[in-house]
Amino acid sequence: MAYNLAPLQNLIDQFERMQGIGHKTAQRMAFYILGLSDEEAESFAKAITDAHTKIKQCKICCDLADDELCPICKSGTRDKSVICVVEDPRDVAAIERTHDYDGTYHVLHGAISPMDNIGPDQIRIKELIARLGNGDVEEVIMATNPTVEGEATAMYISRLLKPMGITVSRLAYGVPVGADLEYADEITLSRAIEGRSII
């Protein structure tokens, strides 16, 4: 349903442009904003503006940062010999939540997708190759998504790195905890069998 109030409809339309936000959710978000006090609305708008103007990409890994370097690249305790390559800054946050990885990252900001006119030059592959020139990196972990685009990107990068003598590994994929095997697709089951470990 469209509203006759142009500012409200514009707000709903703006929220609806966000990935994963449907019309009803956009409406709820717009009405939430309308319910804020003037001070709260101003604070909300300032948070958006500050995030948009102050957050940039780390000069080394291309992750989000509010300085020239992100906290991970600044850290003296991270293992700089290992780089985990991900598609999106949200993937860094997901891996960090495990507390099992102490290397560094490289964020591609996308994946190779000819259907969407995204080639290797549109994502941060050149920046990754530039990082590998000093010989300090021993392993690159490809942690792109298990999609056609993610697999194509991982294969493309691994071919580029092969002549450099750097070990390229891929995240193991398998059946998620709590899932039933009968609902798993063939590729997931195949990867789970390939990536099995001794218990």
Side-chain angles (χ1 to χ4, degrees), residues 16-33:
E16 210 169 340
R17 290 175 59 192
M18 297 167 68
Q19 185 179 5
I21 301 295
H23 186 70
K24 290 210 183 257
T25 302
Q27 280 182 325
R28 278 195 294 275
M29 292 167 76
F31 279 104
Y32 168 79
I33 297 296

Side-chain angles (χ1 to χ4, degrees), residues 83-148:
I83 297 176
C84 181
V85 178
V86 297
E87 292 180 27
D88 188 271
R90 290 172 289 198
D91 301 332
V92 173
I95 294 171
E96 284 296 291
R97 281 195 300 271
T98 69
H99 302 292
D100 284 333
Y101 177 71
D102 68 346
T104 59
Y105 295 92
H106 188 82
V107 182
L108 296 172
H109 292 276
I112 296 170
S113 177
M115 297 290 285
D116 298 318
N117 292 319
I118 300 172
D121 293 336
Q122 277 77 48
I123 58 177
R124 306 299 189 282
I125 294 176
K126 285 186 293 231
E127 292 83 349
L128 173 62
I129 302 302
R131 289 179 68 182
L132 305 175
N134 63 11
D136 293 341
V137 177
E138 298 170 11
E139 181 182 8
V140 172
I141 302 167
M142 295 307 306
T144 53
N145 292 324
T147 61
V148 172

Side-chain angles (χ1 to χ4, degrees), residues 1-5 8-9 12-13 16 23-24 26-27 31:
M1 171 189 165
Y3 289 90
N4 290 330
L5 305 170
L8 175 57
Q9 188 58 52
I12 292 169
D13 293 344
E16 210 169 340
H23 186 70
K24 290 210 183 257
Q27 280 182 325
F31 279 104

Side-chain angles (χ1 to χ4, degrees), residues 14-195:
Q14 291 300 318
F15 281 128
E16 210 169 340
R17 290 175 59 192
M18 297 167 68
Q19 185 179 5
I21 301 295
H23 186 70
K24 290 210 183 257
T25 302
Q27 280 182 325
R28 278 195 294 275
M29 292 167 76
F31 279 104
Y32 168 79
I33 297 296
L34 287 179
L36 296 175
S37 68
D38 289 347
E39 295 81 25
E40 290 170 330
E42 202 169 299
S43 177
F44 189 88
K46 185 176 179 342
I48 292 172
T49 305
D50 283 352
H52 191 70
T53 56
K54 294 179 180 174
I55 294 177
K56 47 193 169 265
Q57 290 182 16
C58 173
K59 279 176 42 178
I60 295 175
C61 72
C62 303
D63 193 10
L64 300 179
D66 60 357
D67 202 352
E68 285 200 356
L69 300 180
C70 71
I72 292 171
C73 288
K74 279 184 191 173
S75 172
T77 62
R78 302 300 287 234
D79 182 358
K80 308 272 198 257
S81 70
V82 182
I83 297 176
C84 181
V85 178
V86 297
E87 292 180 27
D88 188 271
R90 290 172 289 198
D91 301 332
V92 173
I95 294 171
E96 284 296 291
R97 281 195 300 271
T98 69
H99 302 292
D100 284 333
Y101 177 71
D102 68 346
T104 59
Y105 295 92
H106 188 82
V107 182
L108 296 172
H109 292 276
I112 296 170
S113 177
M115 297 290 285
D116 298 318
N117 292 319
I118 300 172
D121 293 336
Q122 277 77 48
I123 58 177
R124 306 299 189 282
I125 294 176
K126 285 186 293 231
E127 292 83 349
L128 173 62
I129 302 302
R131 289 179 68 182
L132 305 175
N134 63 11
D136 293 341
V137 177
E138 298 170 11
E139 181 182 8
V140 172
I141 302 167
M142 295 307 306
T144 53
N145 292 324
T147 61
V148 172
E149 295 82 7
E151 292 294 328
T153 304
M155 292 306 297
Y156 180 85
I157 293 172
S158 66
R159 279 194 215 108
L160 288 178
L161 302 187
K162 200 168 199 98
M164 301 173 88
I166 296 170
T167 301
V168 180
S169 59
R170 188 81 169 107
L171 282 187
Y173 297 111
V175 181
V177 174
D180 293 324
L181 289 181
E182 67 179 299
Y183 299 115
D185 61 272
E186 293 83 7
I187 295 172
T188 300
L189 284 173
S190 175
R191 286 283 171 81
I193 292 168
E194 287 172 19

